[in-house]
Amino acid sequence: RTSPVLCFFSPLCLSFQIIVDDDDSKVWSLYDAGPRSIRCPLIFLPPVSGTADVFFQQILALTGWGYRVIALQYPVYWDHLEFCDGFRKLLDHLQLDKVHLFGASLGGFLAQKFAEYTHKSPRVQSLILCNAFSDTSIFNQTWTANSFWLMPAFMLKKIVLGNFASGPLDPEMADGIDFMVDRLESLGQSELASRLTLNCQNSYVEPHKIRDIPVTIMDVFDQSALSTEAKEEMYKLYPNARRAHLKTGGNFPYLCRSAEVNLYIQIHLLQFHGTRYAAIDPSMVSAEELEVQKISLHTSNEQEEQ
């Protein structure tokens, strides 16, 4: 059951609402942009406070370069297994055997759980984990996870806003937070309660089930909701992962540092160019140009660190 409409990002983008469960209230909202001939697209999974359109900077840039990208907004699911089963059905509906996943915060945790869930019949070709975590116990709220469904929306929003950066911020970061606050306001009580439940109910990633999947860990050096210990745990979990460090960017670098994030995404996906798992139209590939950008980014990072 699908209802497509043209989306405002680009002529190559369609906005869908899809129901794949028996429960008609479980509606997946998504933007599907770029060439439909690509069978292994990059799928974006938002954080607790996010909707599918928080990745508009990635949709605009990456589709312009020839990539197929899908940005999702998940329905109300109350446990990780239920989410993973629903996501598998969505991929089946979209006729996508394997995909690349970009997950931000909760989205990153769910991406890892889905890769773990499908490890016997893999559906995840690679992972980009942005400000992500591998164990929900870092939030010290596992004991309250089962009570979120009882709380009114304003209390849930207060919990989420408590993790947003405060104090003096540059204009791009301030705009990014304002945009996320607006997105947060658009979420209903059940959507927020279910996401916070997924974010905090006792669970962790089993790395041995997904150790063969190429991973890029993307994080920031300034203030974010993740502790240094949580970041170090991710590095230990994926010792062979590529690391994409941003000097600044806070909780939402894909909004306020989109150029850097988009470049790191391209660098991650470059390893699949020329294979059946490429997320880009082959006619749009310019490896030489990307290599120049890669060297430029590396040089600028070195200069910043000096």
Side-chain angles (χ1 to χ4, degrees), residues 185-197:
E185 288 297 327
S186 73
L187 297 174
Q189 190 276 344
S190 58
E191 289 175 294
L192 263 179
S194 64
R195 292 184 186 196
L196 281 168
T197 301

PDB file of all heavy atoms in Angstrom, residues 185-197:
ATOM      1  N   GLU A 185       8.656  19.255  17.305  1.00  0.00           N
ATOM      2  CA  GLU A 185       7.288  19.713  17.571  1.00  0.00           C
ATOM      3  C   GLU A 185       6.273  19.008  16.680  1.00  0.00           C
ATOM      4  O   GLU A 185       5.098  18.907  17.023  1.00  0.00           O
ATOM      5  CB  GLU A 185       7.200  21.226  17.369  1.00  0.00           C
ATOM      6  CG  GLU A 185       7.893  22.051  18.436  1.00  0.00           C
ATOM      7  CD  GLU A 185       7.267  21.865  19.813  1.00  0.00           C
ATOM      8  OE1 GLU A 185       6.038  21.650  19.889  1.00  0.00           O
ATOM      9  OE2 GLU A 185       8.003  21.917  20.810  1.00  0.00           O
ATOM     10  N   SER A 186       6.722  18.519  15.520  1.00  0.00           N
ATOM     11  CA  SER A 186       5.792  17.878  14.584  1.00  0.00           C
ATOM     12  C   SER A 186       5.479  16.431  14.967  1.00  0.00           C
ATOM     13  O   SER A 186       4.575  15.814  14.390  1.00  0.00           O
ATOM     14  CB  SER A 186       6.371  17.913  13.165  1.00  0.00           C
ATOM     15  OG  SER A 186       7.443  16.984  13.020  1.00  0.00           O
ATOM     16  N   LEU A 187       6.222  15.875  15.922  1.00  0.00           N
ATOM     17  CA  LEU A 187       6.021  14.478  16.308  1.00  0.00           C
ATOM     18  C   LEU A 187       4.960  14.355  17.393  1.00  0.00           C
ATOM     19  O   LEU A 187       4.920  15.153  18.338  1.00  0.00           O
ATOM     20  CB  LEU A 187       7.340  13.873  16.808  1.00  0.00           C
ATOM     21  CG  LEU A 187       8.484  13.796  15.779  1.00  0.00           C
ATOM     22  CD1 LEU A 187       9.766  13.322  16.453  1.00  0.00           C
ATOM     23  CD2 LEU A 187       8.113  12.882  14.630  1.00  0.00           C
ATOM     24  N   GLY A 188       4.111  13.349  17.263  1.00  0.00           N
ATOM     25  CA  GLY A 188       3.069  13.107  18.250  1.00  0.00           C
ATOM     26  C   GLY A 188       3.587  12.353  19.461  1.00  0.00           C
ATOM     27  O   GLY A 188       4.734  11.878  19.491  1.00  0.00           O
ATOM     28  N   GLN A 189       2.735  12.212  20.467  1.00  0.00           N
ATOM     29  CA  GLN A 189       3.137  11.559  21.722  1.00  0.00           C
ATOM     30  C   GLN A 189       3.589  10.120  21.489  1.00  0.00           C
ATOM     31  O   GLN A 189       4.633   9.698  22.005  1.00  0.00           O
ATOM     32  CB  GLN A 189       1.971  11.602  22.723  1.00  0.00           C
ATOM     33  CG  GLN A 189       2.330  11.179  24.144  1.00  0.00           C
ATOM     34  CD  GLN A 189       2.301   9.667  24.369  1.00  0.00           C
ATOM     35  OE1 GLN A 189       1.729   8.926  23.553  1.00  0.00           O
ATOM     36  NE2 GLN A 189       2.888   9.201  25.461  1.00  0.00           N
ATOM     37  N   SER A 190       2.835   9.372  20.708  1.00  0.00           N
ATOM     38  CA  SER A 190       3.182   7.962  20.524  1.00  0.00           C
ATOM     39  C   SER A 190       4.480   7.811  19.730  1.00  0.00           C
ATOM     40  O   SER A 190       5.287   6.913  20.007  1.00  0.00           O
ATOM     41  CB  SER A 190       2.043   7.209  19.832  1.00  0.00           C
ATOM     42  OG  SER A 190       1.739   7.787  18.571  1.00  0.00           O
ATOM     43  N   GLU A 191       4.700   8.702  18.735  1.00  0.00           N
ATOM     44  CA  GLU A 191       5.948   8.643  17.967  1.00  0.00           C
ATOM     45  C   GLU A 191       7.156   8.900  18.870  1.00  0.00           C
ATOM     46  O   GLU A 191       8.154   8.164  18.838  1.00  0.00           O
ATOM     47  CB  GLU A 191       5.922   9.687  16.836  1.00  0.00           C
ATOM     48  CG  GLU A 191       4.973   9.353  15.702  1.00  0.00           C
ATOM     49  CD  GLU A 191       4.911  10.476  14.684  1.00  0.00           C
ATOM     50  OE1 GLU A 191       4.424  11.572  15.027  1.00  0.00           O
ATOM     51  OE2 GLU A 191       5.351  10.263  13.537  1.00  0.00           O
ATOM     52  N   LEU A 192       7.053   9.952  19.682  1.00  0.00           N
ATOM     53  CA  LEU A 192       8.166  10.283  20.572  1.00  0.00           C
ATOM     54  C   LEU A 192       8.375   9.210  21.633  1.00  0.00           C
ATOM     55  O   LEU A 192       9.506   8.810  21.914  1.00  0.00           O
ATOM     56  CB  LEU A 192       7.894  11.622  21.257  1.00  0.00           C
ATOM     57  CG  LEU A 192       8.534  12.859  20.635  1.00  0.00           C
ATOM     58  CD1 LEU A 192       8.151  14.091  21.428  1.00  0.00           C
ATOM     59  CD2 LEU A 192      10.046  12.704  20.596  1.00  0.00           C
ATOM     60  N   ALA A 193       7.282   8.752  22.229  1.00  0.00           N
ATOM     61  CA  ALA A 193       7.390   7.744  23.286  1.00  0.00           C
ATOM     62  C   ALA A 193       8.023   6.463  22.761  1.00  0.00           C
ATOM     63  O   ALA A 193       8.882   5.859  23.414  1.00  0.00           O
ATOM     64  CB  ALA A 193       6.005   7.455  23.880  1.00  0.00           C
ATOM     65  N   SER A 194       7.619   6.049  21.564  1.00  0.00           N
ATOM     66  CA  SER A 194       8.167   4.811  21.006  1.00  0.00           C
ATOM     67  C   SER A 194       9.646   4.967  20.674  1.00  0.00           C
ATOM     68  O   SER A 194      10.458   4.057  20.908  1.00  0.00           O
ATOM     69  CB  SER A 194       7.386   4.388  19.758  1.00  0.00           C
ATOM     70  OG  SER A 194       7.513   5.327  18.716  1.00  0.00           O
ATOM     71  N   ARG A 195      10.038   6.110  20.161  1.00  0.00           N
ATOM     72  CA  ARG A 195      11.448   6.327  19.826  1.00  0.00           C
ATOM     73  C   ARG A 195      12.317   6.368  21.079  1.00  0.00           C
ATOM     74  O   ARG A 195      13.421   5.819  21.105  1.00  0.00           O
ATOM     75  CB  ARG A 195      11.609   7.621  19.022  1.00  0.00           C
ATOM     76  CG  ARG A 195      10.994   7.537  17.630  1.00  0.00           C
ATOM     77  CD  ARG A 195      11.269   8.809  16.870  1.00  0.00           C
ATOM     78  NE  ARG A 195      10.572   8.845  15.584  1.00  0.00           N
ATOM     79  CZ  ARG A 195      10.865   9.687  14.612  1.00  0.00           C
ATOM     80  NH1 ARG A 195      11.850  10.555  14.782  1.00  0.00           N
ATOM     81  NH2 ARG A 195      10.197   9.681  13.478  1.00  0.00           N
ATOM     82  N   LEU A 196      11.832   7.060  22.098  1.00  0.00           N
ATOM     83  CA  LEU A 196      12.596   7.096  23.349  1.00  0.00           C
ATOM     84  C   LEU A 196      12.687   5.703  23.968  1.00  0.00           C
ATOM     85  O   LEU A 196      13.698   5.343  24.573  1.00  0.00           O
ATOM     86  CB  LEU A 196      11.955   8.078  24.331  1.00  0.00           C
ATOM     87  CG  LEU A 196      12.267   9.557  24.066  1.00  0.00           C
ATOM     88  CD1 LEU A 196      11.365  10.460  24.890  1.00  0.00           C
ATOM     89  CD2 LEU A 196      13.741   9.852  24.373  1.00  0.00           C
ATOM     90  N   THR A 197      11.636   4.900  23.796  1.00  0.00           N
ATOM     91  CA  THR A 197      11.666   3.525  24.283  1.00  0.00           C
ATOM     92  C   THR A 197      12.738   2.728  23.543  1.00  0.00           C
ATOM     93  O   THR A 197      13.541   2.017  24.165  1.00  0.00           O
ATOM     94  CB  THR A 197      10.286   2.858  24.103  1.00  0.00           C
ATOM     95  OG1 THR A 197       9.297   3.612  24.820  1.00  0.00           O
ATOM     96  CG2 THR A 197      10.294   1.429  24.633  1.00  0.00           C
TER      97      THR A 197
END
